[in-house]
Amino acid sequence: MYKTVRRGRCRKAGCRQITKVGGQLLNILECTELEKEYNGTRVVDKISFKMKKGETLGLLGPNGAGKTTTISMLSAQIKQTGGTIQINGHEIKGNELKVKSLVGVVPQDIALYPELNAYENLQFFGSLYKLDKKQLKKKIDRVLDLIGLKDRAKDPIKQYSGGMKRRINIAAAILHDPLVVFMDEPTVGIDPQSRNKIYELIALLKEQGMSIVYTTHYMEEATNLCDRVAIVDRGKMIQLDSVKGLIKEIHGGILEFQFRDPDTAQSAKALAEEYEHVKEARVSDSKLEAVVKDPQENIGYLVEQFRTYSYEIMNLTIMPPTLETLFLYKTGKALRD
Ligand SMILES: Nc1ncnc2c1ncn2[C@@H]1O[C@H](COP(=O)(O)OP(=O)(O)OP(=O)(O)O)[C@@H](O)[C@H]1O
């Protein structure tokens, strides 16, 4: 069966943009040139992206990159300094309450009442969404089941481990069946068992078609959980693509040669660039970084070339084709402090 396709206006002359299929919006979230300033310092700098329904989008970046600030604006918790945000077609500005009812937020800090049990905590959060008692009970039972803590529902939260509290936090965020859930580093500082439970839960939510924005500074999480990953650093979105697409950029990996001095590194760069399997080479101080196809295969050739010209290699590192390597290559910094 054919679906009706609605075309919207696009600013460029003659350009027609598909915005709806079968009466459904294609994008659950759109933000354009999003900015946030604190005391004249821009901590989120013109971030723009679109997210499809059911997609899991990762925001990967180190501490202070601007991930929390970005999701706080996207979930209508704080106001942006500039730019626009639409959730399911609703402009956030002027529709904050509506948008808040469409989204769920799992904050970094645990926001639960320690003296109350899990059920009572969820009852409190549910009451904020004005669900009637019967409906609420059903929903609480369902989310407790989803997070695997049904049998602990009557225990006070103060008896829970950090990981269990995080799971209750997630339950509170999805209680009202939001269209988009924002998860802010939900696995930081918790035990491996709870972490795995959270991964399982995310897989379940994905299966149910929930759209998820997931912030992390763990490349393994971004790689395993997310359909696309935005690499964020110093408030800017450096790149956004599938993990496969992002890694393509660094080909098979990066070879890092440390030479005795910057002049030798520059000469070695010129030599490396002549080799057909070197996609890109650059120098900083005495270090040469070469993006190489099949580094294991081609390392021998490069080492031999440098030896021929007496370019003495002080140190050599093979960096695998991972998001961590890409991040280091793009920003000169490690993802983790
Ligand atoms: N309320 C605020 N007032 C002033 N500066 C702020 C405020 N909130 C955040 N910042 C600054 O904005 C920058 C981005 O912070 P943000 O918490 O968004 O980063 P993050 O990527 O989430 O980091 P982390 O991984 O540590 O949570 C930081 O430099 C931070 O100090």
PDB file of all heavy atoms in Angstrom, residues 93-116:
ATOM      1  N   LYS A  93       9.589  26.920  22.132  1.00  0.00           N
ATOM      2  CA  LYS A  93       9.292  28.265  22.654  1.00  0.00           C
ATOM      3  C   LYS A  93       7.787  28.485  22.669  1.00  0.00           C
ATOM      4  O   LYS A  93       7.128  28.410  21.636  1.00  0.00           O
ATOM      5  CB  LYS A  93       9.963  29.323  21.780  1.00  0.00           C
ATOM      6  CG  LYS A  93      11.198  29.893  22.423  1.00  0.00           C
ATOM      7  CD  LYS A  93      11.744  31.061  21.634  1.00  0.00           C
ATOM      8  CE  LYS A  93      13.152  31.337  22.108  1.00  0.00           C
ATOM      9  NZ  LYS A  93      13.931  32.078  21.156  1.00  0.00           N
ATOM     10  N   GLY A  94       7.236  28.728  23.836  1.00  0.00           N
ATOM     11  CA  GLY A  94       5.804  28.964  23.947  1.00  0.00           C
ATOM     12  C   GLY A  94       4.996  27.698  24.182  1.00  0.00           C
ATOM     13  O   GLY A  94       3.802  27.751  24.462  1.00  0.00           O
ATOM     14  N   ASN A  95       5.619  26.529  24.016  1.00  0.00           N
ATOM     15  CA  ASN A  95       4.907  25.254  24.208  1.00  0.00           C
ATOM     16  C   ASN A  95       5.647  24.357  25.200  1.00  0.00           C
ATOM     17  O   ASN A  95       5.633  23.136  25.076  1.00  0.00           O
ATOM     18  CB  ASN A  95       4.810  24.487  22.880  1.00  0.00           C
ATOM     19  CG  ASN A  95       3.905  25.176  21.896  1.00  0.00           C
ATOM     20  OD1 ASN A  95       2.753  25.459  22.202  1.00  0.00           O
ATOM     21  ND2 ASN A  95       4.442  25.466  20.732  1.00  0.00           N
ATOM     22  N   GLU A  96       6.283  24.971  26.183  1.00  0.00           N
ATOM     23  CA  GLU A  96       7.149  24.211  27.094  1.00  0.00           C
ATOM     24  C   GLU A  96       6.382  23.082  27.793  1.00  0.00           C
ATOM     25  O   GLU A  96       6.873  21.962  27.902  1.00  0.00           O
ATOM     26  CB  GLU A  96       7.791  25.123  28.146  1.00  0.00           C
ATOM     27  CG  GLU A  96       8.928  25.989  27.632  1.00  0.00           C
ATOM     28  CD  GLU A  96       8.457  27.258  26.950  1.00  0.00           C
ATOM     29  OE1 GLU A  96       7.220  27.461  26.838  1.00  0.00           O
ATOM     30  OE2 GLU A  96       9.303  28.047  26.506  1.00  0.00           O
ATOM     31  N   LEU A  97       5.169  23.386  28.256  1.00  0.00           N
ATOM     32  CA  LEU A  97       4.412  22.365  29.006  1.00  0.00           C
ATOM     33  C   LEU A  97       4.043  21.192  28.115  1.00  0.00           C
ATOM     34  O   LEU A  97       4.147  20.030  28.506  1.00  0.00           O
ATOM     35  CB  LEU A  97       3.152  22.984  29.617  1.00  0.00           C
ATOM     36  CG  LEU A  97       3.370  23.749  30.926  1.00  0.00           C
ATOM     37  CD1 LEU A  97       2.068  24.318  31.441  1.00  0.00           C
ATOM     38  CD2 LEU A  97       4.018  22.836  31.977  1.00  0.00           C
ATOM     39  N   LYS A  98       3.588  21.519  26.895  1.00  0.00           N
ATOM     40  CA  LYS A  98       3.225  20.474  25.931  1.00  0.00           C
ATOM     41  C   LYS A  98       4.442  19.577  25.659  1.00  0.00           C
ATOM     42  O   LYS A  98       4.359  18.347  25.706  1.00  0.00           O
ATOM     43  CB  LYS A  98       2.737  21.142  24.628  1.00  0.00           C
ATOM     44  CG  LYS A  98       2.490  20.203  23.482  1.00  0.00           C
ATOM     45  CD  LYS A  98       1.229  19.418  23.679  1.00  0.00           C
ATOM     46  CE  LYS A  98       1.081  18.326  22.657  1.00  0.00           C
ATOM     47  NZ  LYS A  98       0.040  17.367  23.006  1.00  0.00           N
ATOM     48  N   VAL A  99       5.579  20.237  25.396  1.00  0.00           N
ATOM     49  CA  VAL A  99       6.791  19.481  25.074  1.00  0.00           C
ATOM     50  C   VAL A  99       7.211  18.617  26.261  1.00  0.00           C
ATOM     51  O   VAL A  99       7.586  17.456  26.095  1.00  0.00           O
ATOM     52  CB  VAL A  99       7.926  20.436  24.610  1.00  0.00           C
ATOM     53  CG1 VAL A  99       9.273  19.729  24.599  1.00  0.00           C
ATOM     54  CG2 VAL A  99       7.606  20.973  23.222  1.00  0.00           C
ATOM     55  N   LYS A 100       7.101  19.174  27.477  1.00  0.00           N
ATOM     56  CA  LYS A 100       7.489  18.382  28.657  1.00  0.00           C
ATOM     57  C   LYS A 100       6.647  17.118  28.779  1.00  0.00           C
ATOM     58  O   LYS A 100       7.116  16.100  29.283  1.00  0.00           O
ATOM     59  CB  LYS A 100       7.355  19.239  29.922  1.00  0.00           C
ATOM     60  CG  LYS A 100       8.565  20.126  30.138  1.00  0.00           C
ATOM     61  CD  LYS A 100       8.466  20.901  31.406  1.00  0.00           C
ATOM     62  CE  LYS A 100       9.675  21.804  31.564  1.00  0.00           C
ATOM     63  NZ  LYS A 100       9.534  22.799  32.605  1.00  0.00           N
ATOM     64  N   SER A 101       5.389  17.184  28.305  1.00  0.00           N
ATOM     65  CA  SER A 101       4.535  15.993  28.392  1.00  0.00           C
ATOM     66  C   SER A 101       4.916  14.953  27.333  1.00  0.00           C
ATOM     67  O   SER A 101       4.541  13.794  27.424  1.00  0.00           O
ATOM     68  CB  SER A 101       3.060  16.385  28.251  1.00  0.00           C
ATOM     69  OG  SER A 101       2.785  16.721  26.904  1.00  0.00           O
ATOM     70  N   LEU A 102       5.678  15.385  26.317  1.00  0.00           N
ATOM     71  CA  LEU A 102       6.049  14.467  25.234  1.00  0.00           C
ATOM     72  C   LEU A 102       7.416  13.820  25.442  1.00  0.00           C
ATOM     73  O   LEU A 102       7.799  12.931  24.702  1.00  0.00           O
ATOM     74  CB  LEU A 102       6.084  15.229  23.891  1.00  0.00           C
ATOM     75  CG  LEU A 102       4.779  15.856  23.416  1.00  0.00           C
ATOM     76  CD1 LEU A 102       5.008  16.612  22.120  1.00  0.00           C
ATOM     77  CD2 LEU A 102       3.717  14.790  23.225  1.00  0.00           C
ATOM     78  N   VAL A 103       8.152  14.350  26.435  1.00  0.00           N
ATOM     79  CA  VAL A 103       9.511  13.838  26.621  1.00  0.00           C
ATOM     80  C   VAL A 103       9.706  13.270  28.029  1.00  0.00           C
ATOM     81  O   VAL A 103       8.951  13.585  28.948  1.00  0.00           O
ATOM     82  CB  VAL A 103      10.582  14.945  26.361  1.00  0.00           C
ATOM     83  CG1 VAL A 103      10.420  15.565  24.997  1.00  0.00           C
ATOM     84  CG2 VAL A 103      10.551  16.013  27.454  1.00  0.00           C
ATOM     85  N   GLY A 104      10.711  12.431  28.167  1.00  0.00           N
ATOM     86  CA  GLY A 104      11.105  11.920  29.479  1.00  0.00           C
ATOM     87  C   GLY A 104      12.587  12.225  29.668  1.00  0.00           C
ATOM     88  O   GLY A 104      13.343  12.220  28.695  1.00  0.00           O
ATOM     89  N   VAL A 105      12.972  12.506  30.904  1.00  0.00           N
ATOM     90  CA  VAL A 105      14.370  12.856  31.155  1.00  0.00           C
ATOM     91  C   VAL A 105      14.938  11.969  32.260  1.00  0.00           C
ATOM     92  O   VAL A 105      14.345  11.860  33.339  1.00  0.00           O
ATOM     93  CB  VAL A 105      14.515  14.342  31.568  1.00  0.00           C
ATOM     94  CG1 VAL A 105      15.985  14.692  31.798  1.00  0.00           C
ATOM     95  CG2 VAL A 105      13.905  15.263  30.522  1.00  0.00           C
ATOM     96  N   VAL A 106      16.057  11.329  31.977  1.00  0.00           N
ATOM     97  CA  VAL A 106      16.776  10.579  33.006  1.00  0.00           C
ATOM     98  C   VAL A 106      18.002  11.419  33.364  1.00  0.00           C
ATOM     99  O   VAL A 106      18.979  11.451  32.622  1.00  0.00           O
ATOM    100  CB  VAL A 106      17.226   9.192  32.481  1.00  0.00           C
ATOM    101  CG1 VAL A 106      17.927   8.404  33.579  1.00  0.00           C
ATOM    102  CG2 VAL A 106      16.048   8.423  31.927  1.00  0.00           C
ATOM    103  N   PRO A 107      17.938  12.143  34.487  1.00  0.00           N
ATOM    104  CA  PRO A 107      19.049  13.049  34.810  1.00  0.00           C
ATOM    105  C   PRO A 107      20.259  12.298  35.353  1.00  0.00           C
ATOM    106  O   PRO A 107      20.145  11.132  35.745  1.00  0.00           O
ATOM    107  CB  PRO A 107      18.450  13.955  35.901  1.00  0.00           C
ATOM    108  CG  PRO A 107      17.387  13.132  36.531  1.00  0.00           C
ATOM    109  CD  PRO A 107      16.888  12.155  35.498  1.00  0.00           C
ATOM    110  N   GLN A 108      21.398  12.983  35.357  1.00  0.00           N
ATOM    111  CA  GLN A 108      22.625  12.362  35.893  1.00  0.00           C
ATOM    112  C   GLN A 108      22.502  12.121  37.382  1.00  0.00           C
ATOM    113  O   GLN A 108      22.921  11.103  37.897  1.00  0.00           O
ATOM    114  CB  GLN A 108      23.800  13.295  35.636  1.00  0.00           C
ATOM    115  CG  GLN A 108      24.606  12.919  34.436  1.00  0.00           C
ATOM    116  CD  GLN A 108      25.788  13.856  34.236  1.00  0.00           C
ATOM    117  OE1 GLN A 108      26.367  14.377  35.181  1.00  0.00           O
ATOM    118  NE2 GLN A 108      26.114  14.068  32.978  1.00  0.00           N
ATOM    119  N   ASP A 109      21.920  13.106  38.077  1.00  0.00           N
ATOM    120  CA  ASP A 109      21.794  12.968  39.528  1.00  0.00           C
ATOM    121  C   ASP A 109      20.505  12.241  39.865  1.00  0.00           C
ATOM    122  O   ASP A 109      19.459  12.514  39.282  1.00  0.00           O
ATOM    123  CB  ASP A 109      21.779  14.353  40.190  1.00  0.00           C
ATOM    124  CG  ASP A 109      23.068  15.088  39.888  1.00  0.00           C
ATOM    125  OD1 ASP A 109      24.116  14.430  39.900  1.00  0.00           O
ATOM    126  OD2 ASP A 109      23.011  16.299  39.599  1.00  0.00           O
ATOM    127  N   ILE A 110      20.609  11.346  40.825  1.00  0.00           N
ATOM    128  CA  ILE A 110      19.452  10.559  41.233  1.00  0.00           C
ATOM    129  C   ILE A 110      18.451  11.492  41.929  1.00  0.00           C
ATOM    130  O   ILE A 110      18.795  12.172  42.892  1.00  0.00           O
ATOM    131  CB  ILE A 110      19.868   9.440  42.210  1.00  0.00           C
ATOM    132  CG1 ILE A 110      21.082   8.684  41.687  1.00  0.00           C
ATOM    133  CG2 ILE A 110      18.700   8.547  42.575  1.00  0.00           C
ATOM    134  CD1 ILE A 110      20.870   7.678  40.623  1.00  0.00           C
ATOM    135  N   ALA A 111      17.224  11.499  41.446  1.00  0.00           N
ATOM    136  CA  ALA A 111      16.227  12.412  42.004  1.00  0.00           C
ATOM    137  C   ALA A 111      15.059  11.612  42.580  1.00  0.00           C
ATOM    138  O   ALA A 111      13.954  11.612  42.045  1.00  0.00           O
ATOM    139  CB  ALA A 111      15.734  13.343  40.891  1.00  0.00           C
ATOM    140  N   LEU A 112      15.342  10.861  43.663  1.00  0.00           N
ATOM    141  CA  LEU A 112      14.288  10.016  44.244  1.00  0.00           C
ATOM    142  C   LEU A 112      14.151  10.299  45.742  1.00  0.00           C
ATOM    143  O   LEU A 112      15.077  10.824  46.370  1.00  0.00           O
ATOM    144  CB  LEU A 112      14.635   8.536  44.049  1.00  0.00           C
ATOM    145  CG  LEU A 112      14.794   8.055  42.599  1.00  0.00           C
ATOM    146  CD1 LEU A 112      15.415   6.678  42.569  1.00  0.00           C
ATOM    147  CD2 LEU A 112      13.450   8.053  41.876  1.00  0.00           C
ATOM    148  N   TYR A 113      13.001   9.933  46.308  1.00  0.00           N
ATOM    149  CA  TYR A 113      12.795  10.085  47.758  1.00  0.00           C
ATOM    150  C   TYR A 113      13.281   8.824  48.467  1.00  0.00           C
ATOM    151  O   TYR A 113      12.684   7.757  48.315  1.00  0.00           O
ATOM    152  CB  TYR A 113      11.306  10.318  48.055  1.00  0.00           C
ATOM    153  CG  TYR A 113      10.831  11.639  47.522  1.00  0.00           C
ATOM    154  CD1 TYR A 113      10.156  11.720  46.307  1.00  0.00           C
ATOM    155  CD2 TYR A 113      11.074  12.815  48.231  1.00  0.00           C
ATOM    156  CE1 TYR A 113       9.735  12.945  45.798  1.00  0.00           C
ATOM    157  CE2 TYR A 113      10.665  14.041  47.732  1.00  0.00           C
ATOM    158  CZ  TYR A 113       9.996  14.094  46.520  1.00  0.00           C
ATOM    159  OH  TYR A 113       9.592  15.307  46.023  1.00  0.00           O
ATOM    160  N   PRO A 114      14.367   8.921  49.261  1.00  0.00           N
ATOM    161  CA  PRO A 114      14.981   7.715  49.832  1.00  0.00           C
ATOM    162  C   PRO A 114      14.092   6.963  50.825  1.00  0.00           C
ATOM    163  O   PRO A 114      14.178   5.740  50.935  1.00  0.00           O
ATOM    164  CB  PRO A 114      16.233   8.248  50.537  1.00  0.00           C
ATOM    165  CG  PRO A 114      16.081   9.720  50.636  1.00  0.00           C
ATOM    166  CD  PRO A 114      15.130  10.143  49.576  1.00  0.00           C
ATOM    167  N   GLU A 115      13.215   7.699  51.547  1.00  0.00           N
ATOM    168  CA  GLU A 115      12.383   7.040  52.563  1.00  0.00           C
ATOM    169  C   GLU A 115      11.202   6.292  51.936  1.00  0.00           C
ATOM    170  O   GLU A 115      10.650   5.364  52.535  1.00  0.00           O
ATOM    171  CB  GLU A 115      11.841   8.068  53.576  1.00  0.00           C
ATOM    172  CG  GLU A 115      12.915   8.846  54.335  1.00  0.00           C
ATOM    173  CD  GLU A 115      13.803   7.957  55.192  1.00  0.00           C
ATOM    174  OE1 GLU A 115      13.323   6.901  55.648  1.00  0.00           O
ATOM    175  OE2 GLU A 115      14.988   8.315  55.380  1.00  0.00           O
ATOM    176  N   LEU A 116      10.809   6.732  50.741  1.00  0.00           N
ATOM    177  CA  LEU A 116       9.660   6.077  50.082  1.00  0.00           C
ATOM    178  C   LEU A 116      10.139   4.839  49.328  1.00  0.00           C
ATOM    179  O   LEU A 116      11.305   4.771  48.923  1.00  0.00           O
ATOM    180  CB  LEU A 116       8.988   7.027  49.098  1.00  0.00           C
ATOM    181  CG  LEU A 116       8.436   8.348  49.659  1.00  0.00           C
ATOM    182  CD1 LEU A 116       7.755   9.141  48.542  1.00  0.00           C
ATOM    183  CD2 LEU A 116       7.449   8.074  50.793  1.00  0.00           C
TER     184      LEU A 116
END
